Amino acid sequence: MEKGIRKNILVAQSGGPTAAINATVAGVVSVALASEKVDKIYGAKNGIQGVLDETFIDLREKINNIHDLELLSQTPAAALGSCRLKLKDLKKDKTEFEQIVKNLKKYDINCFIYIGGNDSMDTVDKLSQYCAEHQINDLTVVGAPKTVDNDLMGTDHCPGFGSAAKYIGVTFSELERDCNVYKTKAVTIVEVMGRNAGWLTAASSLARLNGMKGPDFIYLCEPAFSIEQFVRDVEGRLAKQDAVLIAISEGIKNEHGQYISEQVQSGAVDAFGHTYIAGSAKVLEDIVRERIGCKVRSIELNLMQRCAGHIASASDVAESRMLGMKACQCALEGQNGVMAAIIRISDSPYTVEYAAVPVSEVSNAEKKVPDDFINSEKNDVTDKMTAYLKPLIQGEIQQEFENGIPKQLVLY
Amino acid sequence: MEKGIRKNILVAQSGGPTAAINATVAGVVSVALASEKVDKIYGAKNGIQGVLDETFIDLREKINNIHDLELLSQTPAAALGSCRLKLKDLKKDKTEFEQIVKNLKKYDINCFIYIGGNDSMDTVDKLSQYCAEHQINDLTVVGAPKTVDNDLMGTDHCPGFGSAAKYIGVTFSELERDCNVYKTKAVTIVEVMGRNAGWLTAASSLARLNGMKGPDFIYLCEPAFSIEQFVRDVEGRLAKQDAVLIAISEGIKNEHGQYISEQVQSGAVDAFGHTYIAGSAKVLEDIVRERIGCKVRSIELNLMQRCAGHIASASDVAESRMLGMKACQCALEGQNGVMAAIIRISDSPYTVEYAAVPVSEVSNAEKKVPDDFINSEKNDVTDKMTAYLKPLIQGEIQQEFENGIPKQLVLY
């Protein structure tokens, strides 16, 4: 085959890391390696920033064999690096777009696959529009979804979410055991990621799948959070049992949409006289201590919930890889401005299809938890949520360990 | 065999839960099940409190087959419950001892195996002394070690520590990936359990075993912590690289032995006007923000580090079970007042022996990290530490999952 008709592809990652985002890169690379249409396979370091800076990596050099692809799929976070750069409004300032296209042309890149969340899909949307408007027909821009928050429209769920959900479900099952060993009234409040969407917090309910009690209460960030109801809930449960385990979203807000942490902490200052911004769990810990007076502890699952590759969901990793494959296929077929997506056909048996959806329908929107996934008291989830979540955490990856520590593939 | 010469045994757990303490119960029960000398196998709920309260469980009823023993070994925390009760001084007040012996006699218990840390070994020591002094020859009291802190004397290391160390090493390897994705100067400070002994914090170094960089700095609680040196260390590293990852013990103290958190936080108050006690990592986060001014985040590994059964060390679980077996054997042989212990013969190949040591040499002492396990700058560990730690995290347990969540055995 002549060089002229072979395509060069570029893949990049953006937004917060997850345990499964590298599987999407592995999916892109595997389709590219298998295709006779593909010549160069580039990765850009640090997302669209790397495209602007021309920091490209030759992935054929870095990924030498099928074992490397497996290791890459098992390595958490973003092996190509990430960025938080949102491109300027196309109508107001074309400078960045001109530079991006110039750099892509310089390397004869025909396909650009961008893996990420809302902001990244905004980049795909704008850049694909720019190409269409300027008749740049030899460049196809395609998105692949990724976010632990699971808040992307257009896809049933997002790569990275299932693994984070599994980490959260497993961790709550372990915390339940830990919190129940003493005969002491004690409250444990666990803060889960999610400023505007409560999907990850809802995953705490998965600790119940094998007949355990799981969290006593689950407060998502979608309904208004009432401190008075919270105190009543906790007091009521403490009257019946010793240990109370609670899951809350970091973004719980009062009926005025104000974050609980901002509302309560307004007067607090740290040792330097700065306003002290605590997490929601810490704020509720103080409230329990003040209003109820029992032993209380707050826990933040922090970065661990998004990077715990060792407890990744096998389903999530496999689907993430499939979406990378789908995105690469779409790019090779010239489907400009689409995002690879998962369409759920049924919960049980769990069946999905992979589709290409217009990225314009995805970018700059947020998928929140629907009302009927939350109970009427707004302190737990419903069976509909469980049916939705359960398939996403199935299967354990057989991670490769060396010296008792997971092996990882590092690209730069 | 006549009933008269068969023995009834009792096992109980105490102190903070770990991922491996139930394996020790499984070890005790397996030797008891295999012995023709044993009739009843009791567990006391909530440690020595349950002996005082006569809350006994018949473990032959609860553990029906070999599969239950395996599940019990894989279940984190204390399946028999725990307590934090320290018995009164034997010379001052014998009431509790009289009650304990009365209750044990009521159930014809001849062997009492108590699994726990310093305080629990103090209970074993006092109770075995009481039996010896009062010629109670048909009751043998034996200890089995357990503590994530690894601070017990008399044993090379403690069950529970290896699994927590593995969790910490794995988590730091994942956090390293997560923290390195952005091209931004950023400091991540991770607080690890340990008020007086830095063993768990040292385990962060295990993230380096497969050639990764691991934490940039490791500050244990044994040497005096200097905020000035800390700021210099971090500034120096930020001049060379973007992301700086730091492990600190919760118990880091200044040269006067004062906890860093107490020292710095003295003026801080929360929204209720209470003195705000933050963790050490949070305090250092504020210092980095104030003195260096870059992006900074603090993380507490919190309860997850001691209850993460899903990433338990296979070596740790196996050794924990062996120590339960050893303790039960010692009890059946009438070795009153000993603790089952691990004697390390060599690091590589890793070879150990199981021994019985006088519990009086163990109770109320603390094994701290020796000077030559810490570097001269007091901001990292030495190769001696790595050689000590490495064997303890080897092997991954093949945990049984159902519905994507680990199966657990619950005894009550």
Side-chain angles (χ1 to χ4, degrees):
Chain A
M1 204 176 283
E2 287 176 42
K3 185 177 181 299
I5 58 164
R6 292 181 76 185
K7 292 180 176 185
N8 294 336
I9 74 157
L10 172 70
V11 57
Q13 298 170 300
S14 178
T18 82
I21 184 171
N22 287 331
T24 306
V25 175
V28 169
V29 171
S30 64
V31 163
L33 286 173
S35 170
E36 289 183 9
K37 289 187 199 164
V38 176
D39 184 17
K40 296 278 189 190
I41 309 171
Y42 293 111
K45 277 167 69 171
N46 302 108
I48 199 72
Q49 186 67 57
V51 182
L52 285 163
D53 297 345
E54 282 183 55
T55 48
F56 296 136
I57 299 171
D58 183 340
L59 291 177
R60 283 196 195 267
E61 277 180 19
K62 297 283 179 178
I63 298 168
N64 293 304
N65 50 52
I66 205 77
H67 180 234
D68 284 350
L69 275 179
E70 292 303 322
L71 266 188
L72 180 60
S73 291
Q74 295 184 4
T75 301
L80 291 169
S82 185
C83 69
R84 292 242 181 235
L85 183 68
K86 192 162 178 172
L87 296 180
K88 295 193 181 73
D89 186 340
L90 196 49
K91 287 174 192 130
K92 290 182 186 159
D93 187 348
K94 291 191 164 54
T95 326
E96 286 169 332
F97 297 92
E98 288 163 356
Q99 188 65 47
I100 288 167
V101 170
K102 189 181 157 197
N103 292 355
L104 294 177
K105 293 228 171 250
K106 184 172 168 187
Y107 289 82
D108 290 323
I109 288 164
N110 313 99
C111 300
F112 174 36
I113 296 122
Y114 203 33
I115 308 165
N118 284 306
D119 287 349
S120 317
M121 292 312 119
D122 179 71
T123 298
V124 171
D125 191 24
K126 287 173 176 165
L127 192 57
S128 57
Q129 274 182 46
Y130 179 86
C131 291
E133 287 166 12
H134 293 76
Q135 282 84 44
I136 306 169
N137 299 322
D138 54 349
L139 179 59
T140 303
V141 186
V142 167
K146 175 282 320 172
T147 159
V148 286
D149 291 323
N150 200 40
D151 59 353
L152 279 187
M153 300 297 281
T155 185
D156 177 74
H157 55 279
C158 301
F161 172 68
S163 293
K166 189 178 182 93
Y167 171 88
I168 291 163
V170 169
T171 299
F172 268 85
S173 80
E174 294 170 340
L175 288 174
E176 182 183 347
R177 297 271 68 72
D178 192 288
C179 293
N180 275 286
V181 303
Y182 295 116
K183 280 178 71 176
T184 314
K185 298 282 174 199
V187 176
T188 304
I189 305 163
V190 185
E191 180 178 321
V192 183
M193 279 184 177
R195 300 282 288 175
N196 299 313
W199 298 106
L200 282 173
T201 309
S204 62
S205 66
L206 296 168
R208 299 170 183 154
L209 283 179
N210 296 337
M212 300 301 170
K213 198 179 58 172
D216 290 284
F217 299 105
I218 302 174
Y219 302 99
L220 309 190
C221 50
E222 280 85 355
F225 182 85
S226 154
I227 291 175
E228 293 310 315
Q229 190 203 326
F230 168 78
V231 171
R232 276 197 309 274
D233 284 348
V234 176
E235 281 180 330
R237 201 55 62 98
L238 281 171
K240 297 181 202 159
Q241 65 194 48
D242 288 332
V244 176
L245 178 61
I246 299 165
I248 59 154
S249 297
E250 64 175 323
I252 47 169
K253 303 167 197 77
N254 66 14
E255 71 272 31
H256 308 298
Q258 194 183 15
Y259 288 114
I260 295 299
S261 49
E262 288 174 6
Q263 178 194 359
V264 175
Q265 294 279 322
S266 52
V269 289
D270 71 10
F272 301 108
H274 294 156
T275 303
Y276 165 65
I277 304 294
S280 308
K282 186 75 187 166
V283 169
L284 294 182
E285 176 192 326
D286 288 346
I287 288 171
V288 169
R289 191 173 291 115
E290 177 78 4
R291 303 264 303 260
I292 303 180
C294 69
K295 190 181 162 200
V296 57
R297 176 196 298 264
S298 63
I299 296 175
E300 283 185 44
L301 296 186
N302 221 310
L303 299 187
M304 290 79 83
Q305 66 200 293
R306 75 179 188 193
C307 71
H310 70 274
I311 188 69
S313 154
S315 307
D316 182 33
V317 172
E319 290 185 336
S320 301
R321 204 154 163 171
M322 278 297 291
L323 286 166
M325 294 166 71
K326 178 75 183 173
C328 191
Q329 283 168 352
C330 291
L332 290 172
E333 289 163 6
Q335 294 194 50
N336 192 44
V338 299
M339 181 186 83
I342 297 174
I343 314 293
R344 188 184 300 217
I345 308 299
S346 73
D347 290 335
S348 179
Y350 176 62
T351 318
V352 299
E353 284 177 1
Y354 297 91
V357 297
V359 74
S360 57
E361 294 174 10
V362 180
S363 61
N364 300 309
E366 265 182 340
K367 187 171 71 180
K368 300 199 176 189
V369 172
D371 285 346
D372 59 349
F373 281 36
I374 303 173
N375 73 347
S376 56
E377 295 83 10
K378 315 295 182 200
N379 59 16
D380 211 328
V381 298
T382 62
D383 291 345
K384 283 193 180 178
M385 178 64 93
T386 310
Y388 171 79
L389 292 175
K390 187 177 164 185
L392 311 185
I393 65 157
Q394 297 308 306
E396 293 71 50
I397 61 163
Q398 297 306 312
Q399 199 170 31
E400 195 177 340
F401 279 75
E402 194 168 298
N403 296 308
I405 298 288
K407 283 192 76 172
Q408 299 172 335
L409 186 74
V410 176
L411 291 178
Y412 71 91
Chain B
M1 203 177 282
E2 287 176 41
K3 185 177 180 303
I5 57 163
R6 292 180 77 184
K7 293 181 175 183
N8 295 336
I9 73 156
L10 173 71
V11 58
Q13 298 169 300
S14 178
T18 81
I21 184 172
N22 288 331
T24 306
V25 175
V28 169
V29 172
S30 65
V31 163
L33 287 173
S35 169
E36 291 182 9
K37 287 186 198 164
V38 176
D39 184 17
K40 297 277 189 190
I41 310 171
Y42 293 111
K45 277 167 69 172
N46 301 107
I48 198 71
Q49 186 67 56
V51 182
L52 286 162
D53 297 345
E54 283 183 56
T55 48
F56 296 136
I57 299 171
D58 183 340
L59 291 177
R60 283 195 195 267
E61 278 180 19
K62 297 283 180 180
I63 298 169
N64 293 305
N65 50 50
I66 205 78
H67 179 234
D68 284 350
L69 275 180
E70 292 304 322
L71 266 189
L72 180 60
S73 292
Q74 295 183 5
T75 301
L80 291 168
S82 185
C83 69
R84 293 243 181 235
L85 182 69
K86 192 161 177 173
L87 296 179
K88 296 192 180 73
D89 186 339
L90 195 49
K91 288 174 191 129
K92 291 181 184 162
D93 187 348
K94 290 192 166 55
T95 326
E96 288 169 330
F97 298 92
E98 288 162 355
Q99 188 65 46
I100 288 167
V101 171
K102 189 180 157 198
N103 292 356
L104 294 177
K105 292 226 171 251
K106 185 171 167 186
Y107 289 81
D108 290 324
I109 287 162
N110 314 100
C111 299
F112 175 36
I113 296 122
Y114 203 34
I115 307 165
N118 284 306
D119 286 349
S120 318
M121 293 312 121
D122 179 72
T123 298
V124 172
D125 190 25
K126 286 171 176 167
L127 191 58
S128 58
Q129 273 182 47
Y130 179 86
C131 292
E133 285 167 13
H134 293 77
Q135 282 83 46
I136 306 169
N137 298 321
D138 53 351
L139 179 60
T140 303
V141 186
V142 168
K146 176 281 319 173
T147 160
V148 286
D149 291 324
N150 200 40
D151 60 352
L152 280 186
M153 300 296 283
T155 185
D156 176 73
H157 55 279
C158 300
F161 172 69
S163 293
K166 189 178 183 91
Y167 171 88
I168 291 163
V170 170
T171 298
F172 268 85
S173 79
E174 294 170 341
L175 289 174
E176 182 184 347
R177 296 273 66 72
D178 192 289
C179 293
N180 276 285
V181 302
Y182 295 115
K183 279 177 72 177
T184 314
K185 298 284 173 195
V187 176
T188 304
I189 305 164
V190 184
E191 180 177 322
V192 184
M193 278 183 176
R195 300 283 288 175
N196 299 311
W199 296 107
L200 283 173
T201 310
S204 61
S205 65
L206 296 167
R208 299 171 183 154
L209 283 179
N210 297 338
M212 301 301 170
K213 199 179 59 171
D216 290 284
F217 300 105
I218 302 174
Y219 302 98
L220 308 189
C221 51
E222 281 85 354
F225 182 85
S226 154
I227 291 176
E228 295 308 316
Q229 190 204 324
F230 168 77
V231 172
R232 275 199 308 275
D233 284 348
V234 175
E235 282 180 329
R237 201 55 63 97
L238 280 171
K240 295 181 202 160
Q241 66 194 48
D242 288 332
V244 176
L245 178 61
I246 299 166
I248 59 154
S249 297
E250 64 175 321
I252 47 169
K253 303 167 197 77
N254 66 13
E255 72 271 32
H256 308 297
Q258 196 183 13
Y259 289 113
I260 294 299
S261 49
E262 289 174 7
Q263 178 193 0
V264 175
Q265 294 280 321
S266 52
V269 289
D270 69 11
F272 301 108
H274 294 157
T275 303
Y276 165 64
I277 304 294
S280 308
K282 185 77 188 163
V283 169
L284 295 183
E285 177 192 325
D286 288 345
I287 288 171
V288 169
R289 191 172 290 117
E290 177 77 5
R291 302 265 304 259
I292 302 179
C294 68
K295 192 181 160 199
V296 57
R297 176 196 297 266
S298 63
I299 296 175
E300 284 185 44
L301 296 186
N302 221 310
L303 300 187
M304 291 79 83
Q305 66 200 294
R306 75 180 188 193
C307 72
H310 71 274
I311 188 68
S313 155
S315 307
D316 182 33
V317 173
E319 290 184 336
S320 301
R321 203 154 163 170
M322 279 295 292
L323 285 166
M325 295 166 71
K326 178 76 184 175
C328 191
Q329 284 168 351
C330 290
L332 290 172
E333 289 163 7
Q335 294 193 52
N336 192 45
V338 299
M339 181 187 83
I342 297 173
I343 313 293
R344 188 184 301 217
I345 307 300
S346 72
D347 290 333
S348 180
Y350 176 62
T351 318
V352 299
E353 284 176 2
Y354 298 91
V357 298
V359 74
S360 57
E361 294 174 11
V362 179
S363 61
N364 300 308
E366 265 182 339
K367 187 171 72 179
K368 300 198 176 189
V369 172
D371 285 346
D372 59 350
F373 281 36
I374 304 172
N375 73 348
S376 56
E377 295 82 9
K378 315 295 181 199
N379 59 15
D380 211 328
V381 299
T382 62
D383 290 345
K384 283 193 180 178
M385 177 63 92
T386 309
Y388 172 79
L389 293 175
K390 187 178 164 184
L392 311 184
I393 65 156
Q394 297 309 306
E396 292 72 49
I397 61 163
Q398 297 306 312
Q399 199 170 30
E400 195 177 339
F401 279 75
E402 195 168 298
N403 298 308
I405 298 287
K407 284 191 76 172
Q408 299 174 334
L409 187 75
V410 176
L411 292 177
Y412 71 91

